[in-house]
Amino acid sequence: MKRIPVPAVFQQWLSGVPAPAYMLTGDGTGLSDLVADLWMERFGAEGTTAEFSRWTAVDLERESPEMTWRTPSFFCRFRVFALHDLGDLKKTFRDGILSYLGFPDPSVILVFPCSDRSVAKTFSGVSGVRTVSLREEQAVSILANVTVSKIRAAGKELSEDSAAFLVRWVGPEYARVNEEIGKLLSFAGDRKEIGEEEIRQVCISSGAVDPFAMAERVVRKDVIGFLSMFRRFAAGAESADYHVLVGAVAWVVRRRMADGRGSLSPRRGGEILAALSEIDRGIKGESRFSPEQFFEIRLLKLLS
């Protein structure tokens, strides 16, 4: 399979000598595995020996990371480690990583997401740590482009809109999107094109409720249908799931506004997008309500 085209935001990272660590923050935390894959592909293309390891929080607790990273490999020139979200780690383990980064091994590359702003600020000040913070739309666009490239490399066709739908459907995490791409290719068989219908049939949604079906109820001002679906969604949702839902609704709204059939007026579409922007700020900590409460209150006001 052809190499994944390097997204513009990562080209500087991948064009020179590897840094000791790469940190992804903001809405780009789900792309850390993509960065690790890009490094492995570059080393493979260059004929440089390298090995990849993914370390969970349990691995970090069970192993001795600093000892492992400082122990040389007799088989590989580089070792790439994808770590768990730093924001979810105990301070003891974060301090150990900081200590290691004070004197890193030049053959080791650490790639990690960080969802905690204060922790990210600490690590971004460490020499040798390269940092990028992405907005949700950037992360979705990058993953959609990667998806199209992988599908085409396998001899199939997938539109950019359908690729964005896939990312919204499963969540903006490279590991999950990559897994679903494999399932789609297997399911497609001899068919040349893959579309939204196949994605709905094969891929696992990021929640118990179809976020796009919920979005359609918002557009149609179906209060009862929206509440029924939203409360089922909220029963198992985590904070990050509400950001995914905001993105899904915004995607449907923009698509309906641009379909040329007048199915959603610019005025109504603008009202929904403005409400979503307010909701997104609120669930990021600018409201005293929980994400569930703020989302429901603001959407009910919009639907009234």
Side-chain angles (χ1 to χ4, degrees):
M1 188 174 284
K2 296 180 181 178
R3 291 180 62 184
I4 305 171
V6 179
V9 71
F10 300 137
Q11 285 179 1
Q12 187 173 4
W13 284 5
L14 274 293
S15 62
V17 176
Y22 298 90
M23 179 172 66
L24 293 100
T25 66
D27 293 320
T29 54
L31 277 64
S32 57
D33 279 353
L34 170 60
V35 173
D37 265 12
L38 290 170
W39 273 113
M40 292 301 293
E41 287 201 351
R42 174 185 146 174
F43 292 142
E46 294 174 345
T48 303
T49 55
E51 64 181 11
F52 170 70
S53 298
R54 180 180 291 106
W55 278 28
T56 65
V58 175
D59 294 327
L60 287 166
E61 292 181 14
R62 183 178 58 227
E63 305 288 342
S64 175
E66 189 165 357
M67 182 178 296
T68 300
W69 298 335
R70 294 194 187 286
T71 301
S73 170
F74 296 103
F75 307 101
C76 297
R77 171 67 182 86
F78 288 102
R79 290 176 293 156
V80 180
F81 291 87
L83 307 185
H84 189 74
D85 189 329
L86 296 185
D88 295 336
L89 296 180
K90 296 177 181 178
K91 186 176 184 300
T92 303
F93 300 113
R94 293 200 300 265
D95 288 345
I97 298 172
L98 283 171
S99 174
Y100 162 79
L101 289 172
F103 302 94
D105 187 298
S107 69
V108 171
I109 300 172
L110 304 183
V111 184
F112 45 77
C114 186
S115 57
D116 186 292
R117 291 183 180 179
S118 62
V119 174
K121 184 176 181 180
T122 298
F123 274 81
S124 63
V126 177
S127 176
V129 177
R130 305 290 181 263
T131 305
V132 68
S133 179
L134 300 176
R135 301 187 308 274
E136 182 183 15
E137 289 301 322
Q138 288 178 295
V140 170
S141 176
I142 289 170
L143 288 173
N145 289 336
V146 168
T147 298
V148 170
S149 296
K150 283 177 170 276
I151 294 291
R152 288 178 178 171
K156 308 290 184 183
E157 288 296 325
L158 180 75
S159 71
E160 292 182 4
D161 273 353
S162 293
F165 176 84
L166 171 64
V167 176
R168 297 288 190 190
W169 182 258
V170 306
E173 295 184 16
Y174 173 72
R176 289 192 61 184
V177 171
N178 206 32
E179 181 179 337
E180 299 301 336
I181 289 173
K183 289 162 60 176
L184 280 171
L185 291 173
S186 297
F187 178 76
D190 295 332
R191 282 173 293 178
K192 181 71 174 176
E193 295 186 4
I194 298 173
E196 290 181 21
E197 182 179 349
E198 288 78 13
I199 293 170
R200 291 180 186 273
Q201 289 177 331
V202 176
C203 300
I204 300 173
S205 172
S206 59
V209 175
D210 179 349
F212 297 94
M214 200 186 312
E216 289 291 349
R217 281 158 176 76
V218 172
V219 171
R220 297 200 305 263
K221 302 184 72 171
D222 178 359
V223 178
I224 295 175
F226 164 75
L227 278 178
S228 175
M229 296 188 75
F230 178 74
R231 286 170 182 170
R232 278 190 286 130
F233 170 87
E238 298 180 358
S239 180
D241 295 329
Y242 290 94
H243 293 291
V244 175
L245 181 57
V246 167
V249 176
W251 188 83
V252 169
V253 169
R254 293 192 183 100
R255 193 175 187 190
R256 291 283 294 274
M257 291 171 67
D259 65 9
R261 299 195 301 268
S263 56
L264 182 64
S265 70
R267 178 181 176 183
R268 179 60 180 168
E271 290 175 350
I272 298 174
L273 292 175
L276 292 173
S277 178
E278 181 183 342
I279 289 170
D280 195 51
R281 293 194 304 272
I283 59 182
K284 285 179 178 177
E286 295 184 15
S287 170
R288 58 187 176 85
F289 295 107
S290 69
E292 176 186 354
Q293 291 172 323
F294 191 75
F295 203 111
E296 183 171 328
I297 290 169
R298 188 63 186 85
L299 260 295
L300 284 177
K301 181 179 178 182
L302 179 70
L303 296 175
S304 61

